[in-house]
Amino acid sequence: MTIMKSVLRTFIGAAAVTLSVVALCSCGSGNKKASGSEIPVEEQETIFTAINDFLSDKIAPDYREGEVTIPCYTIVGKDESNPDDIRVWGDFWVYNYDIAGDTLKTVSGGSHPGLMHIRKTGDKYEVTLFDQVEDGSSYLPTAKEIFGERFDDFQKISSDDKERNRARTEAISGYVKSKGLNVKMYKDFGWDPVTIQ
């Protein structure tokens, strides 16, 4: 297990105790993952390990590559009653950055809301299927179908830019600390830099 995966599990293990709507972010670079939290927990595979791996390995490569990949997501709800089909509804984001001096510059990224289907095999978890909300005119009907009774919660979460930016900044800060980088801010194209702690 790499150091970066160890850091990731520190974050996602803490996230696993959430019961309903909670903001979660994780970080990664290539096949290495890092965290947005410093809460110490046991090393363990969780459903969030699977989500982070899926976003970093399957979704991020569809975007222009950066030096650092940081998936962020807000969980709308989850159902762990069936270990062969654990379901996690969320607003999933992927960001790729390049490091320029003391700044992470956004290279690419986007939103991928939907439902992750996860299977537990032994001590491991893996995403087996991702029901993704479609774009354009299909967005609303597919979002309603996928989120069902959680649709109103999804709408509230997906429109809360302030909370998403807070969680994103916190995740970036955790990544920078875990890697020992001399990075003090991140910057989206056309926007002012955002200072991280």
Side-chain angles (χ1 to χ4, degrees):
M1 180 178 298
T2 65
I3 292 173
M4 295 306 292
K5 282 197 173 183
S6 172
V7 176
L8 173 66
R9 280 156 179 70
T10 296
F11 174 71
I12 58 181
V17 301
T18 57
L19 297 176
S20 56
V21 177
V22 61
L24 298 168
C25 289
S26 64
C27 311
S29 178
N31 290 325
K32 298 178 179 178
K33 311 295 187 304
S35 81
S37 172
E38 297 177 311
I39 302 170
V41 295
E42 289 184 30
E43 293 284 330
Q44 60 181 332
E45 289 280 334
T46 72
I47 59 175
F48 301 107
T49 308
I51 291 171
N52 280 288
D53 288 346
F54 182 84
L55 292 172
S56 295
D57 299 339
K58 303 297 184 184
I59 302 294
D62 291 336
Y63 290 97
R64 183 179 163 201
E65 186 178 0
E67 295 175 278
V68 177
T69 296
I70 304 177
C72 279
Y73 45 93
T74 306
I75 300 304
V76 177
K78 61 187 171 111
D79 178 356
E80 299 182 73
S81 61
N82 180 358
D84 290 325
D85 186 21
I86 298 166
R87 296 179 295 164
V88 181
W89 293 263
D91 188 15
F92 304 97
W93 286 75
V94 174
Y95 296 96
N96 290 321
Y97 302 90
D98 281 340
I99 302 171
D102 66 353
T103 305
L104 286 176
K105 292 192 173 180
T106 306
V107 172
S108 61
S111 173
H112 298 269
L115 168 61
M116 296 272 185
H117 295 265
I118 301 166
R119 176 177 57 212
K120 183 177 183 183
T121 305
D123 293 331
K124 302 287 185 181
Y125 293 83
E126 65 175 338
V127 174
T128 58
L129 181 66
F130 181 36
D131 297 328
Q132 187 171 188
V133 174
E134 296 177 17
D135 294 329
S137 61
S138 297
Y139 180 88
L140 195 58
T142 57
K144 286 182 176 179
E145 180 181 353
I146 290 169
F147 285 93
E149 63 186 20
R150 296 173 174 84
F151 178 72
D152 289 343
D153 290 335
F154 165 66
Q155 280 194 307
K156 290 175 186 175
I157 285 171
S158 65
S159 63
D160 192 345
D161 293 336
K162 184 177 180 180
E163 174 58 24
R164 181 168 51 251
N165 289 334
R166 182 206 63 75
R168 179 184 178 193
T169 302
E170 185 177 286
I172 293 170
S173 177
Y175 176 80
V176 167
K177 289 176 182 176
S178 72
K179 293 288 285 182
L181 299 177
N182 185 30
V183 170
K184 299 177 181 176
M185 61 191 80
Y186 69 92
K187 186 180 187 310
D188 292 336
F189 182 78
W191 291 84
D192 292 332
V194 176
T195 302
I196 60 177
Q197 300 294 324

